[in-house]
Amino acid sequence: MKIKSMLLGTAAAAFMTLTASSAMAQDAKKSTFQCEPGELYAMNVMVSGVEYWFPVYEMFKQAAQQMGCETVYTGTPEYDVNKQIATFEQVLARQPAGIMVHPMNSDPFIAPINRAVEQGIAVVTFAADSPNSKRSAYITSNNDREGAAAADAIAEAMGGSGEYAVLENPGQDNHDRRVSAFIGRMEEKYPDMKLVARAASNQDPTKAYNAVLTMHQAHPNLGAVFMPEANSALGAAQAAIETKADIKVMTADVNAKILDMIKAGEVFGSINPNQGIQGYMGFISLFLAAHPDLIDPMNDYKRSGTNPMMVPYIDNGYAVVTAENADDFYWEAYLKRRGTKGIEE
């Protein structure tokens, strides 16, 4: 019995030592993925009131809170690249550890992003890229896959035959890719689907409304119209309603109004990027870019002097939103479920 007790005691001691060592190792590991007090990370967007950004920031913020970091939501309420760059420069002056930015246009952001990186501030792009800059990572849904999925949905609903049109927002990289992929998929897979018109609505519902009315007048058999963002869909859907024609309005991104219109049958559907994963993985990428000492890959980063956290592209995925699943995408219901203040925090 004594020997057995001694063995049990030795085993217990060994277990306690092992547990303590494991706990210490876990604490040490955990501490490396924690921010210093006051360590700040910013998210910078264009047209800051657009609802698309809110769930992105919600998960950006959650990842930061889990690691003891502070965050701030910044951007301009106007569709103006120079004004967005000004807000980027303003947050840069606060010397954050990192900035996750959606550049309105690629090239104008090269110099501001490079300036930030040269100051030791990590930069990650999301939803749209500035590939020739020194940003560390780019996270987005695959815009080519999104455009193709939209084309599949429309073509299948029309039996693979009919006339369609597109509304565009030229110059914004992710929107251009969606439109190009939509048209490319139609040409490749659905030869009986005919592109009859295209117009630049530039995210303006009024321009979209007038464009669709004009398109329908010129092409009475118009069966569908695709646009790469939700604002234009508001005007396009209103025009489709007024023509009393069966014009299927397919868009990308959602907001409460678009979801209501999908449920009412006024908008056919939408391709919605997984915004939460975009924000969460965006923050993780940004934190690692700001703390490159946590990474030691087997490559030439030391010789070349580059940040070891270099990820050319991360795909956050997407969902096809229809009347069947629209209820799962309402921002206010999501915010209530989570019990937070959204971009106000």
Side-chain angles (χ1 to χ4, degrees), residues 160-285:
S161 177
E163 296 181 355
Y164 72 94
V166 296
L167 299 178
E168 305 177 74
N169 180 32
Q172 186 168 319
D173 178 66
N174 59 326
H175 290 178
D176 290 341
R177 286 178 178 273
R178 287 172 181 167
V179 169
S180 295
F182 181 87
I183 296 172
R185 182 72 161 187
M186 288 294 198
E187 293 175 344
E188 175 189 358
K189 191 174 179 180
Y190 307 101
D192 293 330
M193 294 293 296
K194 182 181 178 183
L195 175 63
V196 295
R198 56 197 302 175
S201 54
N202 297 114
Q203 303 194 74
D204 185 326
T206 301
K207 289 182 179 179
Y209 169 81
N210 290 327
V212 172
L213 288 180
T214 300
M215 289 171 173
H216 177 256
Q217 185 174 19
H219 305 280
N221 294 322
L222 181 67
V225 59
F226 171 70
M227 60 237 57
E229 39 73 34
N231 281 345
S232 292
L234 298 174
Q238 184 59 40
I241 291 169
E242 291 182 15
T243 65
K244 297 182 180 179
D246 183 17
I247 301 175
K248 299 184 189 315
V249 176
M250 186 73 184
T251 186
D253 307 338
V254 297
N255 54 41
K257 181 61 176 176
I258 291 294
L259 291 168
D260 288 346
M261 296 175 84
I262 289 174
K263 291 172 66 176
E266 298 167 348
V267 169
F268 176 75
S270 181
I271 304 295
N272 196 57
N274 193 332
Q275 298 137 291
I277 295 298
Q278 193 171 93
Y280 196 90
M281 296 306 297
F283 180 83
I284 297 298
S285 300

Side-chain angles (χ1 to χ4, degrees), residues 63-81:
Q65 290 172 345
Q66 289 171 345
M67 298 163 71
C69 312
E70 296 182 8
T71 64
V72 61
Y73 178 83
T74 68
T76 174
E78 300 175 65
Y79 190 78
D80 185 313
V81 67

Side-chain angles (χ1 to χ4, degrees), residues 72-214:
V72 61
Y73 178 83
T74 68
T76 174
E78 300 175 65
Y79 190 78
D80 185 313
V81 67
N82 292 318
K83 290 182 178 179
Q84 187 193 357
I85 289 173
T87 65
F88 183 90
E89 299 285 3
Q90 288 168 3
V91 76
L92 186 61
R94 297 177 63 177
Q95 290 292 299
I99 304 174
M100 188 172 82
V101 59
H102 175 282
M104 182 183 299
N105 300 116
S106 300
D107 289 347
F109 263 91
I110 294 174
I113 290 174
N114 289 354
R115 186 159 51 251
V117 173
E118 287 159 7
Q119 293 177 23
I121 297 171
V123 178
V124 164
T125 55
F126 75 103
D129 195 17
S130 181
N132 296 319
S133 71
K134 295 180 180 178
R135 55 88 171 136
S136 296
Y138 172 41
I139 178 164
T140 187
S141 50
N142 187 313
N143 295 295
D144 295 331
R145 289 176 57 206
E146 288 179 341
D152 287 341
I154 285 293
E156 289 169 10
M158 294 177 64
S161 177
E163 296 181 355
Y164 72 94
V166 296
L167 299 178
E168 305 177 74
N169 180 32
Q172 186 168 319
D173 178 66
N174 59 326
H175 290 178
D176 290 341
R177 286 178 178 273
R178 287 172 181 167
V179 169
S180 295
F182 181 87
I183 296 172
R185 182 72 161 187
M186 288 294 198
E187 293 175 344
E188 175 189 358
K189 191 174 179 180
Y190 307 101
D192 293 330
M193 294 293 296
K194 182 181 178 183
L195 175 63
V196 295
R198 56 197 302 175
S201 54
N202 297 114
Q203 303 194 74
D204 185 326
T206 301
K207 289 182 179 179
Y209 169 81
N210 290 327
V212 172
L213 288 180
T214 300

Side-chain angles (χ1 to χ4, degrees), residues 318-335:
Y318 66 88
V320 179
V321 183
T322 66
E324 293 181 358
N325 63 351
D327 283 334
D328 298 329
F329 294 85
Y330 281 91
W331 165 246
E332 291 298 333
Y334 173 66
L335 202 60

